[in-house]
Amino acid sequence: MRMKKYALAAAALGLVYFSSCRTEDTILPPTVTPVDTPSVPTSIIGFYLLNEGNMGSNKASLDYYDYTSGLYKQNIYAEANPTAVKELGDVGNDIRVYGSKVYAVINVSNRLEIMDVATAKRVKTVEILNCRYVTFANGKAYISSYAGPVELDPNAPIGKVIELDTATLNITREVIVGYQPEEMAIVGNNLYVANSGGYRFPNYDSTVSVVDLASFKEIKKINVAINLHRLKADNRGNLYVSSRGDYYTKPSRLFKIDTKTNTVVKQIDFSVSNLAIAGDTAYLYGTEFNYNTGKTTIAFNMLDLKTDQLLNKNFITDGTDKGVKMPYGIAINPITKEIFLTDAKDYVSPGTLYCFGADGVKKWSVTTGDIPAHFAFVYGVK
Amino acid sequence: MQFIEHLRSLEKALLFVCLLVVIPTMQIFAQQVDTATTKQLKGVSILGARADRYISPPQSLQGATLQRLNTYSVADALRFFSGIQIKDYGGIGGLKTVNVRSMGTNHVGVFYDGIQLGNAQNGQVDLGRFSLDYMDIVSLYNGQKSNILQTAKDYSSASSIYLYTKKPSFEGKEKVHVAGTFRTGSFGLLNPSLIYQHKINDQVSASLSAEYTYADGEYKFRYKKKEGYDTTAIRKNGDITARRVEGGFNGMMKGGEWSAKFYYYDSDRGLPGFVVAGVFGHVDRQMDRNFFVQSTFKKDITKKYSLLLSGKYASDYVRYIAPDTALLRVDNKYYEKQSYFSIAQKYSILPNWDVALSTDYQYNSMESTMRDFAYPTRNTVLIAASTAAYWNRFKIQANALTTIVDETVKIKTASPPKREVTPAVFLQYQPTHYKDFYLRAFYKRIFRMPTFNDLYYTEIGNSYLKPEYATQYNVGLTYNKKYEKGIINEVGFEADAYYNEVTDKIVAMPTVSQFRWSMMNLGFVKIHGVDMKGYTELQVAKSLTVSARAVYTFQLAQDFSDPKDTYYKDQILYIPKHSGSLILQASYKQWDFNYSYIYTGERYNAKANIRANYVQPWYTSDISVSRKFRTGMLDWMASFQVNNIFNQYYDVVLNYPMPGTNVKATIRVGF
């Protein structure tokens, strides 16, 4: 009997000891890294970087770079919003600043997260199933969503675009577009939506939907190429839309649409994973995977938008690109022409953000969250 | 900060070691469970084959110890072994796979009544679906079962789990045993089961076991941050309905034994999925149907020559449905078939020197309704040549395994043929004339084949994959002593130190986008580990027996894949440096008490060992009490169990919350 008591006492002791090891989970504070010398900023005072986080990990996170202090703050959302259940959420797919607010599209969490641009504090969340991208015009936000009505094709419901009033932050209208709509751009009175049809492979969608903003009706489908993704407007009324291809025989390509005629006017023979437009130049990169060699090849390029000629030169000029495993997000500071490029690496580890001068020479780099991807520049009075 | 955490973990390790050292001085010591229960197996008849000799002892839980643990499944029982980590997605229907010594689930072979359970599709056996109701012994062998009259498959994994169902045994004039069990409790559990055993004659007996499991799978979980959010919700879509029927015949003959059995299982379950912001529920479902028939025949044909024949046919079906209209709709069916035959022969050249040759042939095929499915078939031939010998106090077992794999596919490219030869050597040395203490060592090099999913899964598979190799070096000691008189029935202590390497590890790597991954031979992991276990059984009084079993595991499992990675040399995900368990059991007259404790130390949920990926330790305490009684002819047993008594909320796998306190009641009646 005494032995048993000892045994129980030993067990209890062990238990008490181990039980004392477990501390309460805490909200992680931001990691602040000085990356550049403090400077007097241009009208762009900083930018947000949205890290996607791998699906199911709930590791979408928000970073902020402040030009004035030269400080990079990684993971600012959780501390700014300690009561937000399970933080920012799962797969941050897009971010934009409009007015005094910043809008983040959190794909798997099915929500549009609306925050104060100065503090990143939550103003409101709006539930939008399988939401993808956001764009703005005339006081309205437009959010693309895969989750349209199911009547048409139960195997892959047609997509839609939702209109949200940025004053009331309420949904006002919605319009059915193509299958699995991705990026959007607004030129004049029209909203252009790149439809991928990614859920319907091999029967991909291949159209850009043209939506009249006044009636909020789809007025035309422009046939482009299969599996469309990126869609950027230049300042001449042209759109550049990328096709992902089918990953097998049809390669990824870039197409130019003239919005005066709403027709495809040019194909650019370069595999485009992502692009950013600044002035008359598009900065492109493409990744291709060879199943036989197991190697991913990465190519960088630039496109002259006046002539639509590929410049066949890398916008990174100091060789830094050789250390980039998986280029993912790209943005150009429209004023300084600084180039921001992210490396998502293996998608399940912290990434890297590189800042290059307009000359393509690296200025600084910093560790980000998982899958650094989407940028939103902040203007003015922060 | 990290330094402090490191210190803290060292401190913890020390304490655990102290517990193990202090306990023996208090004469509450440790077990090598298999020997503890040999007492119960003494009544083996003169019929049957010669007993097997093992150089490397297994970790086992069996008989009464296993029943008193009263866990839901085999996976839950395996948590009490050293060197093991269970990946548990939570709930009764949740996937539970084991990882032994950090080499990965695919390196673990699982054997059911002597023949390997196959899963050519993903190489993983869900141990959550094997109930303990019909189970007699659960054993884990590191390296391999170092017997030599065994199938070539027994040599073919880095470590193996053996599940043995209850064999009928009859005393005196007994002809029939019937036992019915009913369990209920948390998660809406309704779990009746029946065992029927029939003695046909002195040589042959038949048995049948049937079980039905229903659970709504609902439980409360909580996510809380200090000075932040605190949310409690109910886990949904974790329901399960499962049926199991199995049975067969066991026969004895002069110098031999045979068995023939069938097994059928089907289930329909919800997949509760991950919990992330905004998504607290999923609608995905999975249906399974598993069927197999198998037979073994083992006989000492002459004094020197023994034969073991084994055969199996298995047919498996899985359907996975993701009907969420807002997401990619999936409805895939997978059909897998396996035929298997093995001849193993042993010849004794000298009384202390045996040689053996095992030849296995296996055919696997897989079909699916998936688009662009490859329809792979695989022909595997395994040839193991082995020898065992002993001189004085020294024992050796050594083998070479040749593996020949050829595959065909209907579309795309088949994986190139594979020819691999892999060795293993096991040594045992008894340094003194005391038989209680001996030293052992083993070396083993083995590989796991890429699975059909690795090779051919539409858009992800890579048919150019090479096998993934695991190399193990192990040294260990065993001390075990039994006493006829006095308060101590038995004490035992075992310790092993090991170094493992996993090379050409098959990992998923992204290709052109987040939605395009491919499998590649890119990983390289080095594992340094220590396993310790101790056991004692005490006869405190005539009617009071107390036993204790403690286990500790240390593992440094580092990622050496690429020096350029920021996480180079970091601990691989989900592997704690420190883990351990404790089982205390007491039997007093008709009463049985069980206390079990599991500790899993801090770990990381991703490759980078950074704070954002840090996962808190978790530890649970379970208690149960049961009582036996008799009314007329009937034997009754009633038990009540409370699991996770301190209601700790934790995740084993990120965003898959585990249940807090839960209860279970069991009643069994039989004759």
Side-chain angles (χ1 to χ4, degrees):
Chain A
M1 208 60 208
R2 253 178 66 205
M3 297 304 157
K4 191 181 158 194
K5 274 184 193 160
Y6 281 133
L8 288 174
L13 238 158
L15 199 79
V16 167
Y17 182 82
F18 284 125
S19 307
S20 62
C21 300
R22 192 176 161 102
T23 50
E24 251 189 299
D25 274 325
T26 49
I27 299 276
L28 275 190
T31 306
V32 182
T33 315
V35 293
D36 205 351
T37 46
S39 62
V40 179
T42 61
S43 60
I44 292 177
I45 58 167
F47 63 83
Y48 283 102
L49 173 68
L50 180 62
N51 300 284
E52 291 188 358
N54 200 28
M55 186 172 170
S57 72
N58 199 51
K59 287 181 185 172
S61 65
L62 193 60
D63 302 349
Y64 185 78
Y65 176 64
D66 177 19
Y67 274 103
T68 315
S69 63
L71 295 178
Y72 189 84
K73 292 181 189 169
Q74 187 217 329
N75 183 32
I76 60 166
Y77 180 87
E79 192 184 60
N81 299 280
T83 56
V85 172
K86 299 223 86 177
E87 298 87 23
L88 188 54
D90 201 36
V91 187
N93 210 66
D94 198 14
I95 189 166
R96 294 278 176 103
V97 171
Y98 190 75
S100 63
K101 296 182 186 72
V102 56
Y103 297 74
V105 179
I106 313 299
N107 175 229
V108 177
S109 290
N110 301 315
R111 59 167 63 143
L112 179 70
E113 179 85 28
I114 306 168
M115 295 163 280
D116 182 273
V117 73
T119 62
K121 282 192 191 302
R122 177 183 283 180
V123 177
K124 187 181 181 182
T125 60
V126 180
E127 187 182 321
I128 302 171
L129 283 179
N130 211 337
C131 43
R132 300 291 297 171
Y133 290 93
V134 61
T135 193
F136 297 90
N138 313 319
K140 300 284 197 294
Y142 298 95
I143 303 105
S144 58
S145 161
Y146 281 5
V150 294
E151 298 88 45
L152 292 169
D153 181 353
N155 291 317
I158 201 159
K160 62 183 177 181
V161 173
I162 284 164
E163 183 188 70
L164 179 116
D165 188 301
T166 59
T168 64
L169 302 182
N170 290 325
I171 292 173
T172 43
R173 296 183 291 180
E174 56 182 67
V175 59
I176 292 169
V177 288
Y179 289 97
Q180 289 80 57
E182 301 284 15
E183 289 196 353
M184 298 163 291
I186 291 164
V187 179
N189 281 323
N190 288 340
L191 171 74
Y192 294 84
V193 188
N195 301 306
S196 71
Y199 284 177
R200 285 160 47 95
F201 64 93
N203 305 314
Y204 290 106
D205 204 326
S206 58
T207 61
V208 166
S209 294
V210 186
V211 174
D212 172 52
L213 286 180
S215 64
F216 216 52
K217 291 274 186 318
E218 185 185 58
I219 53 169
K220 188 179 178 185
K221 281 184 190 291
I222 308 169
N223 204 21
V224 185
I226 60 159
N227 204 0
L228 301 177
H229 184 201
R230 309 291 178 188
L231 181 65
K232 312 282 183 198
D234 69 3
N235 46 28
R236 294 189 170 76
N238 299 307
L239 294 169
Y240 289 87
V241 58
S242 77
S243 150
R244 290 182 179 113
D246 64 1
Y247 308 99
Y248 285 104
T249 51
K250 288 184 184 152
S252 159
R253 287 291 176 259
L254 189 67
F255 299 87
K256 180 183 181 182
I257 293 172
D258 183 341
T259 60
K260 289 186 263 314
T261 58
N262 283 340
T263 52
V264 177
V265 293
K266 177 106 185 158
Q267 172 179 328
I268 290 118
D269 289 331
F270 184 73
S271 171
V272 175
S273 298
N274 204 349
L275 75 159
I277 288 176
D280 288 327
T281 310
Y283 299 71
L284 322 169
Y285 76 80
T287 45
E288 274 180 289
F289 179 70
N290 184 321
Y291 273 90
N292 295 338
T293 62
K295 292 251 183 315
T296 305
T297 47
I298 303 164
F300 296 89
N301 213 328
M302 297 166 86
L303 179 70
D304 183 338
L305 300 182
K306 286 175 292 194
T307 61
D308 288 323
Q309 293 301 308
L310 282 167
L311 301 179
N312 290 324
K313 67 175 188 182
N314 192 337
F315 51 86
I316 303 168
T317 55
D318 62 354
T320 304
D321 53 304
K322 291 188 178 56
V324 176
K325 274 192 171 174
M326 186 61 64
Y328 202 76
I330 183 168
I332 315 296
N333 181 317
I335 298 165
T336 65
K337 297 289 192 284
E338 282 170 318
I339 303 155
F340 296 94
L341 182 77
T342 67
D343 183 357
K345 297 182 178 171
D346 63 358
Y347 291 71
V348 289
S349 304
T352 302
L353 166 65
Y354 293 94
C355 171
F356 300 93
D359 55 358
V361 175
K362 184 179 131 182
K363 291 174 80 175
W364 49 265
S365 66
V366 67
T367 300
T368 63
D370 292 3
I371 319 183
H374 309 279
F375 294 86
F377 288 104
V378 178
Y379 287 80
V381 286
K382 190 182 154 85
Chain B
M1 191 63 205
Q2 240 182 355
F3 179 67
I4 293 169
E5 277 164 17
H6 188 66
L7 269 184
R8 240 178 43 198
S9 62
L10 255 180
E11 207 180 307
K12 259 177 270 173
L14 282 175
L15 188 100
F16 222 115
V17 173
C18 285
L19 268 177
L20 285 174
V21 176
V22 170
I23 288 172
T25 64
M26 300 192 301
Q27 300 195 328
I28 304 163
F29 203 36
Q31 173 185 30
Q32 187 190 314
V33 192
D34 63 71
T35 48
T37 34
T38 44
K39 280 180 181 172
Q40 297 163 2
L41 298 173
K42 270 178 189 162
V44 178
S45 70
I46 49 154
L47 295 168
R50 281 188 287 266
D52 298 323
R53 291 190 294 251
Y54 300 125
I55 288 183
S56 198
Q59 296 187 64
S60 295
L61 285 167
Q62 72 183 69
T65 311
L66 195 59
Q67 294 308 321
R68 275 181 225 153
L69 272 180
N70 212 355
T71 55
Y72 288 101
S73 71
V74 165
D76 293 336
L78 286 168
R79 298 182 304 169
F80 295 97
F81 288 166
S82 63
I84 250 186
Q85 292 304 325
I86 306 279
K87 221 176 188 185
D88 188 342
Y89 289 79
I92 287 188
L95 175 69
K96 292 169 178 63
T97 59
V98 298
N99 180 355
V100 179
R101 295 184 169 180
S102 305
M103 291 179 287
T105 302
N106 292 82
H107 282 285
V108 184
V110 181
F111 293 76
Y112 199 77
D113 282 336
I115 298 185
Q116 191 170 16
L117 292 168
N119 185 336
Q121 184 182 1
N122 63 21
Q124 302 185 344
V125 176
D126 180 3
L127 289 160
R129 61 181 56 183
F130 293 102
S131 88
L132 285 173
D133 188 56
Y134 192 51
M135 216 57 76
D136 187 31
I137 312 176
V138 176
S139 302
L140 166 69
Y141 289 82
N142 291 114
Q144 67 202 29
K145 187 153 62 87
S146 50
N147 177 24
I148 66 169
L149 182 62
Q150 60 187 11
T151 68
K153 280 264 178 186
D154 289 274
Y155 298 96
S156 69
S157 300
S159 47
S160 302
I161 288 163
Y162 287 82
L163 310 175
Y164 287 101
T165 56
K166 283 177 181 156
K167 260 189 203 176
S169 77
F170 299 94
E171 282 171 25
K173 288 183 180 168
E174 287 177 351
K175 284 272 182 213
V176 171
H177 286 168
V178 180
T181 307
F182 182 74
R183 293 188 186 82
T184 185
S186 304
F187 319 114
L189 177 72
L190 297 172
N191 177 207
S193 64
L194 190 74
I195 295 173
Y196 175 81
Q197 298 175 328
H198 190 102
K199 183 175 171 179
I200 295 169
N201 56 41
D202 283 346
Q203 280 80 42
V204 183
S205 60
S207 57
L208 189 72
S209 162
E211 181 175 7
Y212 173 83
T213 307
Y214 168 80
D216 63 30
E218 293 190 356
Y219 56 86
K220 244 199 257 181
F221 64 93
R222 182 177 181 180
Y223 284 109
K224 181 179 189 306
K225 296 275 180 177
K226 194 180 176 185
E227 286 158 26
Y229 61 85
D230 181 355
T231 188
T232 302
I234 304 278
R235 197 79 169 120
K236 294 280 187 190
N237 198 42
D239 63 290
I240 178 166
T241 306
R243 284 170 287 259
R244 174 181 62 84
V245 183
E246 66 186 296
F249 298 94
N250 284 85
M252 293 289 217
M253 68 193 95
K254 193 168 177 255
E257 63 190 14
W258 61 273
S259 73
K261 76 172 293 173
F262 77 95
Y263 176 95
Y264 174 86
Y265 174 90
D266 71 33
S267 76
D268 177 349
R269 69 187 73 201
L271 301 172
F274 52 73
V275 173
V276 298
V279 182
F280 276 56
H282 296 258
V283 293
D284 305 15
R285 298 199 73 78
Q286 182 180 312
M287 292 92 175
D288 304 84
R289 202 163 56 229
N290 305 105
F291 171 75
F292 67 76
V293 285
Q294 68 179 43
S295 183
T296 61
F297 172 90
K298 186 175 173 183
K299 188 167 165 56
D300 301 326
I301 308 285
T302 69
K303 270 188 175 175
K304 286 175 172 282
Y305 178 75
S306 306
L307 180 69
L308 169 67
L309 302 175
S310 313
K312 178 174 182 171
Y313 170 80
S315 168
D316 297 314
Y317 161 79
V318 184
R319 181 181 182 195
Y320 171 70
I321 308 173
D324 191 332
T325 53
L327 299 171
L328 178 63
R329 194 180 171 88
V330 179
D331 184 355
N332 288 333
K333 293 171 186 167
Y334 305 93
Y335 305 85
E336 218 186 302
K337 286 189 171 57
Q338 183 196 324
S339 304
Y340 170 75
F341 188 71
S342 167
I343 305 174
Q345 310 166 79
K346 186 175 80 168
Y347 185 75
S348 296
I349 296 173
L350 294 169
N352 61 348
W353 182 23
D354 295 342
V355 289
L357 184 71
S358 310
T359 309
D360 292 13
Y361 168 74
Q362 183 170 298
Y363 171 82
N364 290 95
S365 66
M366 192 174 157
E367 297 179 14
S368 172
T369 55
M370 252 181 119
R371 176 172 298 284
D372 296 338
F373 194 73
Y375 294 88
T377 65
R378 173 181 289 179
N379 283 285
T380 309
V381 174
L382 296 155
I383 303 163
S386 64
T387 184
Y390 62 93
W391 302 273
N392 298 323
R393 301 201 294 253
F394 184 75
K395 281 185 193 173
I396 181 168
Q397 187 262 308
N399 68 270
L401 174 69
T402 302
T403 308
I404 300 165
V405 182
D406 288 292
E407 296 185 1
T408 63
V409 288
K410 279 195 189 156
I411 58 165
K412 294 188 273 195
T413 319
S415 188
K418 293 182 177 61
R419 307 281 182 271
E420 311 283 332
V421 180
T422 49
V425 182
F426 288 74
L427 305 170
Q428 193 196 90
Y429 178 63
Q430 183 191 315
T432 66
H433 66 277
Y434 291 107
K435 284 185 178 152
D436 321 322
F437 179 66
Y438 55 92
L439 305 171
R440 63 191 130 76
F442 79 80
Y443 160 79
K444 180 167 183 173
R445 183 165 160 76
I446 195 68
F447 65 91
R448 67 110 165 165
M449 276 295 294
T451 65
F452 282 161
N453 278 357
D454 294 338
L455 296 165
Y456 305 118
Y457 198 88
T458 304
E459 288 158 3
I460 294 169
N462 171 6
S463 62
Y464 294 90
L465 286 174
K466 294 175 286 185
E468 172 185 315
Y469 267 90
T471 310
Q472 302 176 77
Y473 306 85
N474 185 99
V475 291
L477 60 87
T478 297
Y479 173 79
N480 178 273
K481 191 155 177 62
K482 293 191 183 77
Y483 299 87
E484 299 295 322
K485 286 186 287 192
I487 192 168
I488 304 168
N489 288 343
E490 185 180 16
V491 291
F493 178 74
E494 257 184 64
D496 284 276
Y498 47 90
Y499 171 68
N500 303 336
E501 276 186 3
V502 181
T503 49
D504 281 335
K505 191 176 166 77
I506 297 169
V507 292
M509 289 299 282
T511 57
V512 293
S513 83
Q514 199 187 340
F515 308 100
R516 298 278 142 172
W517 294 66
S518 182
M519 308 308 294
M520 293 185 213
N521 287 102
L522 278 180
F524 178 27
V525 182
K526 293 184 186 179
I527 302 133
H528 293 83
V530 174
D531 292 355
M532 285 196 265
K533 34 192 181 285
Y535 168 81
T536 191
E537 188 182 272
L538 307 173
Q539 199 68 48
V540 180
K542 199 179 165 205
S543 51
L544 176 63
T545 315
V546 177
S547 68
R549 181 188 192 275
V551 154
Y552 166 74
T553 304
F554 168 80
Q555 272 182 16
L556 188 63
Q558 296 168 284
D559 188 333
F560 277 82
S561 304
D562 184 351
K564 291 197 287 289
D565 291 331
T566 55
Y567 49 83
Y568 183 66
K569 291 191 186 180
D570 276 4
Q571 182 87 351
I572 61 172
L573 66 169
Y574 289 124
I575 301 295
K577 278 189 179 142
H578 308 286
S579 56
S581 68
L582 178 72
I583 300 173
L584 298 174
Q585 297 190 332
S587 291
Y588 178 70
K589 293 181 179 167
Q590 275 78 43
W591 293 89
D592 284 320
F593 302 90
N594 183 88
Y595 168 79
S596 46
Y597 172 78
I598 287 179
Y599 175 83
T600 297
E602 58 188 24
R603 62 227 181 278
Y604 294 89
N605 60 38
K607 292 180 191 173
N609 291 183
I610 56 173
R611 279 204 63 192
N613 300 332
Y614 176 84
V615 186
Q616 293 266 2
W618 64 264
Y619 32 90
T620 53
S621 290
D622 304 342
I623 50 167
S624 75
V625 55
S626 64
R627 190 180 193 283
K628 297 185 197 80
F629 50 95
R630 201 177 164 85
T631 58
M633 270 187 62
L634 297 176
D635 289 316
W636 295 80
M637 191 280 294
S639 83
F640 184 72
Q641 181 176 24
V642 185
N643 297 318
N644 194 358
I645 50 179
F646 298 110
N647 198 26
Q648 190 174 97
Y649 290 106
Y650 63 102
D651 288 7
V652 175
V653 180
L654 178 68
N655 301 325
Y656 285 80
M658 298 292 290
T661 302
N662 60 86
V663 299
K664 189 167 67 170
T666 305
I667 187 145
R668 175 178 299 135
V669 61
F671 63 86

